[in-house]
Amino acid sequence: MSARIAITLAWLCAIGAVVFLLSPLLVIAAASFSPTPVFDLPVGGASLRWYARIGALDGFWPALSLSLQLALLSTALSLVLGTLAAIALARGKLPGAQAIATALVSPLMMPGLVLGIALLQYFRAIGFNATWSALLVAHVVVTLPYVARTMIAGMVRFDFTLMEAARTLGCTYAQAIRRVMIPALAPSFLIAGLFSFLASFDNYPVSIFLTDVRTKTLPIKMLQYIDEAPDPTLAALSTLILIATIVLLLASDRLVGLHRMAGTGD
Amino acid sequence: MAPGAPHLVVRQVSKRFGAAHVLDRVDLTIARGELVTLLGPSGCGKTTLLRLIAGLESPDAGSVELAGRDITRVPPHRRNVGVVFQSYALFPHLTVYGNVAFGLKSRGRSRGEIDAAVGRALSLVHLEHLGARRIAALSGGQQQRVALARAIAVEPDVLLFDEALSALDRKLREEMQVELRRLLREVGATAIFVTHDQDEALTMSDRVAVMFAGRIEQVDEPRIVYARPATLFTLGFVGLSTRVSGIVAGSNNGRVEVDTAVGRLSAIGNFLIGSPVVVAVRPEHVRAAPETAGNCVAGRVRSIVFHGSNSLVEVDAGAATTLLAQIPNDVSAPPRVGDEIRLCWPVAETFAFPMPEAGA
Ligand SMILES: Nc1ncnc2c1ncn2[C@@H]1O[C@H](COP(=O)(O)OP(=O)(O)O)[C@@H](O)[C@H]1O
Ligand SMILES: [Mg+2]
């Protein structure tokens, strides 16, 4: 009896938390259809006029392009580096493997502000002042822990006998990686890549220290828009990003699921 | 190649991991179509020897020849060796079909050839209806069969099984032993089984290679390994036996007289007088009936274990010596615990081995 009450309470808490977390998103989405130029709920009829204005925002396209470049490149770099590190940690009998793994993942636990200031000072000290490259390096630092964490977990569970089986069946080591390790770890790669992409795309606290007047990422630009002209265009943009994220998540869920189910090709 | 000609030749192979000598100058020659078991306790180097043959390890010394080709330095993907791993190592992202087709694809076979070969391999293991199944949806026994089909499909020069049946439960394992042997005969495969299970070794193979501490102690037909063990280790590892230590008191024409704590025993063997030896006999040669010839020892029955048609009787002969006798259950007056009995056995079934050095 008391167990049922506890379970009911737990459910209520969970639902409350979900509502609390999701309602701002719903409000933003609703506001983006507002017919008036104030952040308001669209009571009298919806409008798509703010969506049409997104592209006209000052400096929007360069910011979007920069953010996408950084997210894609830092994710690609982190996937390669993180996977290699995970293989070394899971396979090699490295002394202090546990400590190395912890160090790799530690930026996750560090406040972004601290990381941003540290990187800024470090880049200044070594005279590294190419904004775009500095941002890319910083985003690799931000995304690598996500990839490393997921890939180490995947690699520890990966049965390396599969690689030996592939080799006795006619694969070179490289072919065994391509035909067995990568597909068997596909879910890990996908999840790692997804988290990494999102972590880079919406990073604010680290990027803010490394941008200059002409090179700004989308989140930084968005905050600037809010300061300059707070109208529902920003709500429309946020809603689009939200939809894109949801589509990405659903698609990858489908991909992993479908891949598992089909499983004939390799 | 003529049947019986050497097909796989392992010559003077040694392997060390750090300071440990895992294999010590191992020789093994296997004929085409032969089924050979590597039998030995855990850690004696069986898996390492198998991996050396597969090319997954390379030897520190010695050579490996397969089908007339020196493959000592050939990487695994160019050896044409099939391996069935203890964990099966099936590819989880592929179906049954995808797994069995894997090696054929590596070899660049055409679509039609692959289809035909996968079909053949799956029907050999009676899984032709499960080609589209995912690996995770198979039982342990079915996974074992897929692993076998995957290894056979490429028609390897030799098939290697590393404790391949040990994950199955006992009943299934015994069925698979018989079926596997029939199947390998049918396709004319040359195979090496690694096992620490003596029953499996005796059931499955044409010859058994008994391994101990990185060395092959004896390679013979199962019946000979059992009836004429070459070393004390083989005697103890394969089957039950009574062992009594003593000193050689007389030696003549391949027969020795040995003084032991339970009296003087005769045995087969050649030793100098005064040598310390171990005298041994299998329980099925020991009789409770009074005999006139052979070795006889008296004692008190300590325990009786019923085994259906016969019973295993443990007799305390004093002086910390226990004798094992396998007594048929059709005798009119079976012994009972506590009875004083006299056990006798023929000299021809009594072996003498050199006493192992202290610590060995
Ligand atoms: N890669 C390795 N590194 C170090 N020692 C190993 C390695 N592989 C095996 N050994 C050691 O070699 C010995 C023989 O191992 P193995 O061939 O697996 O024995 P078996 O299969 O007969 O149980 C064991 O003592 C084992 O610990
Ligand atoms: Mg082993």
Side-chain angles (χ1 to χ4, degrees), chain A residues 208-236:
Chain A
I208 188 73
F209 290 98
L210 302 168
T211 49
D212 61 27
V213 187
R214 273 161 307 156
T215 321
K216 285 199 162 78
T217 60
L218 192 59
I220 293 171
K221 206 73 192 165
M222 282 171 76
L223 207 72
Q224 189 187 325
Y225 296 144
I226 283 268
D227 285 344
E228 289 165 0
D231 69 26
T233 315
L234 224 43

PDB file of all heavy atoms in Angstrom, chain A residues 208-236:
ATOM      1  N   ILE A 208      32.559  32.564 -25.740  1.00  0.00           N
ATOM      2  CA  ILE A 208      32.476  34.009 -25.519  1.00  0.00           C
ATOM      3  C   ILE A 208      33.848  34.651 -25.311  1.00  0.00           C
ATOM      4  O   ILE A 208      34.084  35.789 -25.687  1.00  0.00           O
ATOM      5  CB  ILE A 208      31.532  34.322 -24.317  1.00  0.00           C
ATOM      6  CG1 ILE A 208      31.269  35.828 -24.193  1.00  0.00           C
ATOM      7  CG2 ILE A 208      32.077  33.806 -23.017  1.00  0.00           C
ATOM      8  CD1 ILE A 208      30.357  36.346 -25.246  1.00  0.00           C
ATOM      9  N   PHE A 209      34.796  33.854 -24.744  1.00  0.00           N
ATOM     10  CA  PHE A 209      36.125  34.416 -24.494  1.00  0.00           C
ATOM     11  C   PHE A 209      36.993  34.461 -25.747  1.00  0.00           C
ATOM     12  O   PHE A 209      38.031  35.090 -25.752  1.00  0.00           O
ATOM     13  CB  PHE A 209      36.849  33.598 -23.419  1.00  0.00           C
ATOM     14  CG  PHE A 209      36.250  33.780 -22.061  1.00  0.00           C
ATOM     15  CD1 PHE A 209      35.351  32.857 -21.557  1.00  0.00           C
ATOM     16  CD2 PHE A 209      36.562  34.898 -21.301  1.00  0.00           C
ATOM     17  CE1 PHE A 209      34.791  33.029 -20.312  1.00  0.00           C
ATOM     18  CE2 PHE A 209      35.994  35.073 -20.054  1.00  0.00           C
ATOM     19  CZ  PHE A 209      35.101  34.137 -19.555  1.00  0.00           C
ATOM     20  N   LEU A 210      36.591  33.728 -26.774  1.00  0.00           N
ATOM     21  CA  LEU A 210      37.495  33.536 -27.903  1.00  0.00           C
ATOM     22  C   LEU A 210      36.996  34.184 -29.192  1.00  0.00           C
ATOM     23  O   LEU A 210      37.682  34.153 -30.206  1.00  0.00           O
ATOM     24  CB  LEU A 210      37.728  32.036 -28.136  1.00  0.00           C
ATOM     25  CG  LEU A 210      38.312  31.312 -26.914  1.00  0.00           C
ATOM     26  CD1 LEU A 210      38.234  29.818 -27.095  1.00  0.00           C
ATOM     27  CD2 LEU A 210      39.748  31.760 -26.673  1.00  0.00           C
ATOM     28  N   THR A 211      35.770  34.736 -29.159  1.00  0.00           N
ATOM     29  CA  THR A 211      35.242  35.349 -30.381  1.00  0.00           C
ATOM     30  C   THR A 211      35.778  36.767 -30.525  1.00  0.00           C
ATOM     31  O   THR A 211      36.259  37.370 -29.565  1.00  0.00           O
ATOM     32  CB  THR A 211      33.706  35.408 -30.333  1.00  0.00           C
ATOM     33  OG1 THR A 211      33.331  35.951 -29.083  1.00  0.00           O
ATOM     34  CG2 THR A 211      33.109  34.049 -30.510  1.00  0.00           C
ATOM     35  N   ASP A 212      35.712  37.289 -31.754  1.00  0.00           N
ATOM     36  CA  ASP A 212      36.005  38.704 -31.929  1.00  0.00           C
ATOM     37  C   ASP A 212      34.812  39.349 -32.626  1.00  0.00           C
ATOM     38  O   ASP A 212      33.794  38.696 -32.850  1.00  0.00           O
ATOM     39  CB  ASP A 212      37.324  38.907 -32.683  1.00  0.00           C
ATOM     40  CG  ASP A 212      37.277  38.299 -34.072  1.00  0.00           C
ATOM     41  OD1 ASP A 212      36.170  38.196 -34.654  1.00  0.00           O
ATOM     42  OD2 ASP A 212      38.341  37.903 -34.584  1.00  0.00           O
ATOM     43  N   VAL A 213      34.937  40.618 -32.994  1.00  0.00           N
ATOM     44  CA  VAL A 213      33.780  41.358 -33.502  1.00  0.00           C
ATOM     45  C   VAL A 213      33.175  40.693 -34.738  1.00  0.00           C
ATOM     46  O   VAL A 213      31.960  40.629 -34.890  1.00  0.00           O
ATOM     47  CB  VAL A 213      34.194  42.802 -33.848  1.00  0.00           C
ATOM     48  CG1 VAL A 213      32.962  43.622 -34.216  1.00  0.00           C
ATOM     49  CG2 VAL A 213      34.925  43.423 -32.678  1.00  0.00           C
ATOM     50  N   ARG A 214      34.033  40.174 -35.609  1.00  0.00           N
ATOM     51  CA  ARG A 214      33.500  39.628 -36.857  1.00  0.00           C
ATOM     52  C   ARG A 214      33.226  38.124 -36.783  1.00  0.00           C
ATOM     53  O   ARG A 214      32.543  37.578 -37.618  1.00  0.00           O
ATOM     54  CB  ARG A 214      34.475  39.921 -37.995  1.00  0.00           C
ATOM     55  CG  ARG A 214      34.243  41.286 -38.629  1.00  0.00           C
ATOM     56  CD  ARG A 214      35.474  41.685 -39.390  1.00  0.00           C
ATOM     57  NE  ARG A 214      36.647  41.597 -38.514  1.00  0.00           N
ATOM     58  CZ  ARG A 214      37.896  41.438 -38.937  1.00  0.00           C
ATOM     59  NH1 ARG A 214      38.142  41.298 -40.203  1.00  0.00           N
ATOM     60  NH2 ARG A 214      38.900  41.398 -38.082  1.00  0.00           N
ATOM     61  N   THR A 215      33.812  37.463 -35.811  1.00  0.00           N
ATOM     62  CA  THR A 215      33.658  36.011 -35.719  1.00  0.00           C
ATOM     63  C   THR A 215      32.864  35.660 -34.468  1.00  0.00           C
ATOM     64  O   THR A 215      33.403  35.578 -33.376  1.00  0.00           O
ATOM     65  CB  THR A 215      35.045  35.337 -35.654  1.00  0.00           C
ATOM     66  OG1 THR A 215      35.928  36.021 -36.524  1.00  0.00           O
ATOM     67  CG2 THR A 215      34.959  33.881 -36.043  1.00  0.00           C
ATOM     68  N   LYS A 216      31.545  35.500 -34.652  1.00  0.00           N
ATOM     69  CA  LYS A 216      30.703  35.169 -33.502  1.00  0.00           C
ATOM     70  C   LYS A 216      29.885  33.918 -33.802  1.00  0.00           C
ATOM     71  O   LYS A 216      29.361  33.758 -34.907  1.00  0.00           O
ATOM     72  CB  LYS A 216      29.763  36.340 -33.200  1.00  0.00           C
ATOM     73  CG  LYS A 216      30.441  37.528 -32.524  1.00  0.00           C
ATOM     74  CD  LYS A 216      29.400  38.407 -31.853  1.00  0.00           C
ATOM     75  CE  LYS A 216      30.021  39.334 -30.822  1.00  0.00           C
ATOM     76  NZ  LYS A 216      30.692  40.496 -31.430  1.00  0.00           N
ATOM     77  N   THR A 217      29.781  33.055 -32.806  1.00  0.00           N
ATOM     78  CA  THR A 217      28.962  31.855 -32.990  1.00  0.00           C
ATOM     79  C   THR A 217      27.500  32.210 -32.782  1.00  0.00           C
ATOM     80  O   THR A 217      27.177  33.261 -32.217  1.00  0.00           O
ATOM     81  CB  THR A 217      29.359  30.748 -31.998  1.00  0.00           C
ATOM     82  OG1 THR A 217      29.172  31.241 -30.682  1.00  0.00           O
ATOM     83  CG2 THR A 217      30.816  30.343 -32.187  1.00  0.00           C
ATOM     84  N   LEU A 218      26.619  31.320 -33.191  1.00  0.00           N
ATOM     85  CA  LEU A 218      25.186  31.607 -33.154  1.00  0.00           C
ATOM     86  C   LEU A 218      24.673  31.933 -31.748  1.00  0.00           C
ATOM     87  O   LEU A 218      23.944  32.915 -31.579  1.00  0.00           O
ATOM     88  CB  LEU A 218      24.414  30.445 -33.781  1.00  0.00           C
ATOM     89  CG  LEU A 218      22.949  30.727 -34.066  1.00  0.00           C
ATOM     90  CD1 LEU A 218      22.783  31.907 -34.999  1.00  0.00           C
ATOM     91  CD2 LEU A 218      22.270  29.500 -34.646  1.00  0.00           C
ATOM     92  N   PRO A 219      25.026  31.140 -30.719  1.00  0.00           N
ATOM     93  CA  PRO A 219      24.497  31.477 -29.382  1.00  0.00           C
ATOM     94  C   PRO A 219      24.892  32.881 -28.948  1.00  0.00           C
ATOM     95  O   PRO A 219      24.081  33.602 -28.337  1.00  0.00           O
ATOM     96  CB  PRO A 219      25.162  30.431 -28.469  1.00  0.00           C
ATOM     97  CG  PRO A 219      25.512  29.306 -29.367  1.00  0.00           C
ATOM     98  CD  PRO A 219      25.822  29.905 -30.705  1.00  0.00           C
ATOM     99  N   ILE A 220      26.119  33.279 -29.260  1.00  0.00           N
ATOM    100  CA  ILE A 220      26.574  34.611 -28.858  1.00  0.00           C
ATOM    101  C   ILE A 220      25.805  35.684 -29.616  1.00  0.00           C
ATOM    102  O   ILE A 220      25.340  36.680 -29.058  1.00  0.00           O
ATOM    103  CB  ILE A 220      28.094  34.745 -29.088  1.00  0.00           C
ATOM    104  CG1 ILE A 220      28.825  33.804 -28.128  1.00  0.00           C
ATOM    105  CG2 ILE A 220      28.554  36.171 -28.901  1.00  0.00           C
ATOM    106  CD1 ILE A 220      30.299  33.668 -28.400  1.00  0.00           C
ATOM    107  N   LYS A 221      25.626  35.424 -30.897  1.00  0.00           N
ATOM    108  CA  LYS A 221      24.874  36.353 -31.739  1.00  0.00           C
ATOM    109  C   LYS A 221      23.439  36.481 -31.218  1.00  0.00           C
ATOM    110  O   LYS A 221      22.864  37.567 -31.198  1.00  0.00           O
ATOM    111  CB  LYS A 221      24.884  35.801 -33.170  1.00  0.00           C
ATOM    112  CG  LYS A 221      24.732  36.851 -34.241  1.00  0.00           C
ATOM    113  CD  LYS A 221      25.977  37.694 -34.409  1.00  0.00           C
ATOM    114  CE  LYS A 221      25.659  38.894 -35.279  1.00  0.00           C
ATOM    115  NZ  LYS A 221      26.712  39.925 -35.206  1.00  0.00           N
ATOM    116  N   MET A 222      22.866  35.369 -30.802  1.00  0.00           N
ATOM    117  CA  MET A 222      21.468  35.391 -30.352  1.00  0.00           C
ATOM    118  C   MET A 222      21.303  36.251 -29.115  1.00  0.00           C
ATOM    119  O   MET A 222      20.327  36.994 -28.975  1.00  0.00           O
ATOM    120  CB  MET A 222      20.974  33.964 -30.084  1.00  0.00           C
ATOM    121  CG  MET A 222      20.627  33.222 -31.375  1.00  0.00           C
ATOM    122  SD  MET A 222      20.306  31.481 -31.112  1.00  0.00           S
ATOM    123  CE  MET A 222      18.680  31.559 -30.399  1.00  0.00           C
ATOM    124  N   LEU A 223      22.288  36.164 -28.198  1.00  0.00           N
ATOM    125  CA  LEU A 223      22.192  36.992 -27.013  1.00  0.00           C
ATOM    126  C   LEU A 223      22.268  38.476 -27.378  1.00  0.00           C
ATOM    127  O   LEU A 223      21.581  39.318 -26.797  1.00  0.00           O
ATOM    128  CB  LEU A 223      23.301  36.640 -26.025  1.00  0.00           C
ATOM    129  CG  LEU A 223      22.900  36.945 -24.580  1.00  0.00           C
ATOM    130  CD1 LEU A 223      21.866  35.952 -24.103  1.00  0.00           C
ATOM    131  CD2 LEU A 223      24.120  36.948 -23.676  1.00  0.00           C
ATOM    132  N   GLN A 224      23.093  38.729 -28.380  1.00  0.00           N
ATOM    133  CA  GLN A 224      23.231  40.103 -28.852  1.00  0.00           C
ATOM    134  C   GLN A 224      21.890  40.615 -29.418  1.00  0.00           C
ATOM    135  O   GLN A 224      21.483  41.734 -29.148  1.00  0.00           O
ATOM    136  CB  GLN A 224      24.328  40.130 -29.914  1.00  0.00           C
ATOM    137  CG  GLN A 224      24.745  41.514 -30.363  1.00  0.00           C
ATOM    138  CD  GLN A 224      25.707  41.411 -31.541  1.00  0.00           C
ATOM    139  OE1 GLN A 224      26.520  40.485 -31.615  1.00  0.00           O
ATOM    140  NE2 GLN A 224      25.623  42.348 -32.453  1.00  0.00           N
ATOM    141  N   TYR A 225      21.202  39.755 -30.193  1.00  0.00           N
ATOM    142  CA  TYR A 225      19.909  40.150 -30.760  1.00  0.00           C
ATOM    143  C   TYR A 225      18.931  40.497 -29.657  1.00  0.00           C
ATOM    144  O   TYR A 225      18.166  41.452 -29.747  1.00  0.00           O
ATOM    145  CB  TYR A 225      19.302  39.032 -31.619  1.00  0.00           C
ATOM    146  CG  TYR A 225      20.113  38.669 -32.849  1.00  0.00           C
ATOM    147  CD1 TYR A 225      20.177  37.347 -33.274  1.00  0.00           C
ATOM    148  CD2 TYR A 225      20.777  39.645 -33.592  1.00  0.00           C
ATOM    149  CE1 TYR A 225      20.893  36.997 -34.397  1.00  0.00           C
ATOM    150  CE2 TYR A 225      21.506  39.294 -34.710  1.00  0.00           C
ATOM    151  CZ  TYR A 225      21.559  37.967 -35.107  1.00  0.00           C
ATOM    152  OH  TYR A 225      22.266  37.618 -36.208  1.00  0.00           O
ATOM    153  N   ILE A 226      18.923  39.676 -28.611  1.00  0.00           N
ATOM    154  CA  ILE A 226      17.996  39.904 -27.500  1.00  0.00           C
ATOM    155  C   ILE A 226      18.220  41.297 -26.922  1.00  0.00           C
ATOM    156  O   ILE A 226      17.278  42.035 -26.633  1.00  0.00           O
ATOM    157  CB  ILE A 226      18.213  38.863 -26.378  1.00  0.00           C
ATOM    158  CG1 ILE A 226      17.594  37.531 -26.780  1.00  0.00           C
ATOM    159  CG2 ILE A 226      17.632  39.326 -25.054  1.00  0.00           C
ATOM    160  CD1 ILE A 226      16.174  37.348 -26.327  1.00  0.00           C
ATOM    161  N   ASP A 227      19.495  41.646 -26.751  1.00  0.00           N
ATOM    162  CA  ASP A 227      19.816  42.958 -26.201  1.00  0.00           C
ATOM    163  C   ASP A 227      19.350  44.067 -27.128  1.00  0.00           C
ATOM    164  O   ASP A 227      18.829  45.089 -26.688  1.00  0.00           O
ATOM    165  CB  ASP A 227      21.328  43.100 -25.994  1.00  0.00           C
ATOM    166  CG  ASP A 227      21.795  42.310 -24.788  1.00  0.00           C
ATOM    167  OD1 ASP A 227      20.912  41.936 -23.975  1.00  0.00           O
ATOM    168  OD2 ASP A 227      23.005  42.046 -24.666  1.00  0.00           O
ATOM    169  N   GLU A 228      19.569  43.847 -28.453  1.00  0.00           N
ATOM    170  CA  GLU A 228      19.295  44.914 -29.407  1.00  0.00           C
ATOM    171  C   GLU A 228      17.812  45.085 -29.675  1.00  0.00           C
ATOM    172  O   GLU A 228      17.264  46.173 -29.515  1.00  0.00           O
ATOM    173  CB  GLU A 228      20.042  44.654 -30.721  1.00  0.00           C
ATOM    174  CG  GLU A 228      21.552  44.843 -30.577  1.00  0.00           C
ATOM    175  CD  GLU A 228      22.317  44.248 -31.741  1.00  0.00           C
ATOM    176  OE1 GLU A 228      21.678  43.681 -32.657  1.00  0.00           O
ATOM    177  OE2 GLU A 228      23.552  44.330 -31.719  1.00  0.00           O
ATOM    178  N   ALA A 229      17.163  44.014 -30.092  1.00  0.00           N
ATOM    179  CA  ALA A 229      15.773  44.145 -30.497  1.00  0.00           C
ATOM    180  C   ALA A 229      14.985  42.921 -30.079  1.00  0.00           C
ATOM    181  O   ALA A 229      14.894  41.957 -30.827  1.00  0.00           O
ATOM    182  CB  ALA A 229      15.684  44.325 -32.018  1.00  0.00           C
ATOM    183  N   PRO A 230      14.439  42.914 -28.882  1.00  0.00           N
ATOM    184  CA  PRO A 230      13.721  41.726 -28.420  1.00  0.00           C
ATOM    185  C   PRO A 230      12.355  41.594 -29.075  1.00  0.00           C
ATOM    186  O   PRO A 230      11.384  42.129 -28.566  1.00  0.00           O
ATOM    187  CB  PRO A 230      13.603  41.960 -26.910  1.00  0.00           C
ATOM    188  CG  PRO A 230      13.682  43.445 -26.752  1.00  0.00           C
ATOM    189  CD  PRO A 230      14.402  44.017 -27.923  1.00  0.00           C
ATOM    190  N   ASP A 231      12.319  40.927 -30.242  1.00  0.00           N
ATOM    191  CA  ASP A 231      11.011  40.611 -30.827  1.00  0.00           C
ATOM    192  C   ASP A 231      10.947  39.106 -31.093  1.00  0.00           C
ATOM    193  O   ASP A 231      11.931  38.400 -30.938  1.00  0.00           O
ATOM    194  CB  ASP A 231      10.769  41.457 -32.086  1.00  0.00           C
ATOM    195  CG  ASP A 231      11.675  41.063 -33.228  1.00  0.00           C
ATOM    196  OD1 ASP A 231      12.121  39.897 -33.272  1.00  0.00           O
ATOM    197  OD2 ASP A 231      11.969  41.931 -34.076  1.00  0.00           O
ATOM    198  N   PRO A 232       9.793  38.578 -31.456  1.00  0.00           N
ATOM    199  CA  PRO A 232       9.613  37.120 -31.548  1.00  0.00           C
ATOM    200  C   PRO A 232      10.463  36.435 -32.626  1.00  0.00           C
ATOM    201  O   PRO A 232      10.396  35.221 -32.752  1.00  0.00           O
ATOM    202  CB  PRO A 232       8.122  36.964 -31.860  1.00  0.00           C
ATOM    203  CG  PRO A 232       7.506  38.219 -31.361  1.00  0.00           C
ATOM    204  CD  PRO A 232       8.524  39.290 -31.610  1.00  0.00           C
ATOM    205  N   THR A 233      11.273  37.169 -33.398  1.00  0.00           N
ATOM    206  CA  THR A 233      12.148  36.503 -34.362  1.00  0.00           C
ATOM    207  C   THR A 233      13.037  35.483 -33.654  1.00  0.00           C
ATOM    208  O   THR A 233      13.284  34.377 -34.141  1.00  0.00           O
ATOM    209  CB  THR A 233      13.057  37.538 -35.055  1.00  0.00           C
ATOM    210  OG1 THR A 233      12.275  38.654 -35.430  1.00  0.00           O
ATOM    211  CG2 THR A 233      13.719  36.926 -36.267  1.00  0.00           C
ATOM    212  N   LEU A 234      13.507  35.873 -32.469  1.00  0.00           N
ATOM    213  CA  LEU A 234      14.387  34.999 -31.710  1.00  0.00           C
ATOM    214  C   LEU A 234      13.655  33.742 -31.225  1.00  0.00           C
ATOM    215  O   LEU A 234      14.206  32.643 -31.221  1.00  0.00           O
ATOM    216  CB  LEU A 234      14.933  35.771 -30.509  1.00  0.00           C
ATOM    217  CG  LEU A 234      16.410  35.583 -30.266  1.00  0.00           C
ATOM    218  CD1 LEU A 234      17.207  35.638 -31.553  1.00  0.00           C
ATOM    219  CD2 LEU A 234      16.897  36.669 -29.314  1.00  0.00           C
ATOM    220  N   ALA A 235      12.378  33.953 -30.842  1.00  0.00           N
ATOM    221  CA  ALA A 235      11.573  32.797 -30.440  1.00  0.00           C
ATOM    222  C   ALA A 235      11.421  31.849 -31.620  1.00  0.00           C
ATOM    223  O   ALA A 235      11.504  30.616 -31.478  1.00  0.00           O
ATOM    224  CB  ALA A 235      10.211  33.260 -29.948  1.00  0.00           C
ATOM    225  N   ALA A 236      11.237  32.410 -32.814  1.00  0.00           N
ATOM    226  CA  ALA A 236      11.107  31.583 -34.018  1.00  0.00           C
ATOM    227  C   ALA A 236      12.394  30.796 -34.264  1.00  0.00           C
ATOM    228  O   ALA A 236      12.371  29.590 -34.531  1.00  0.00           O
ATOM    229  CB  ALA A 236      10.788  32.472 -35.221  1.00  0.00           C
TER     230      ALA A 236
END
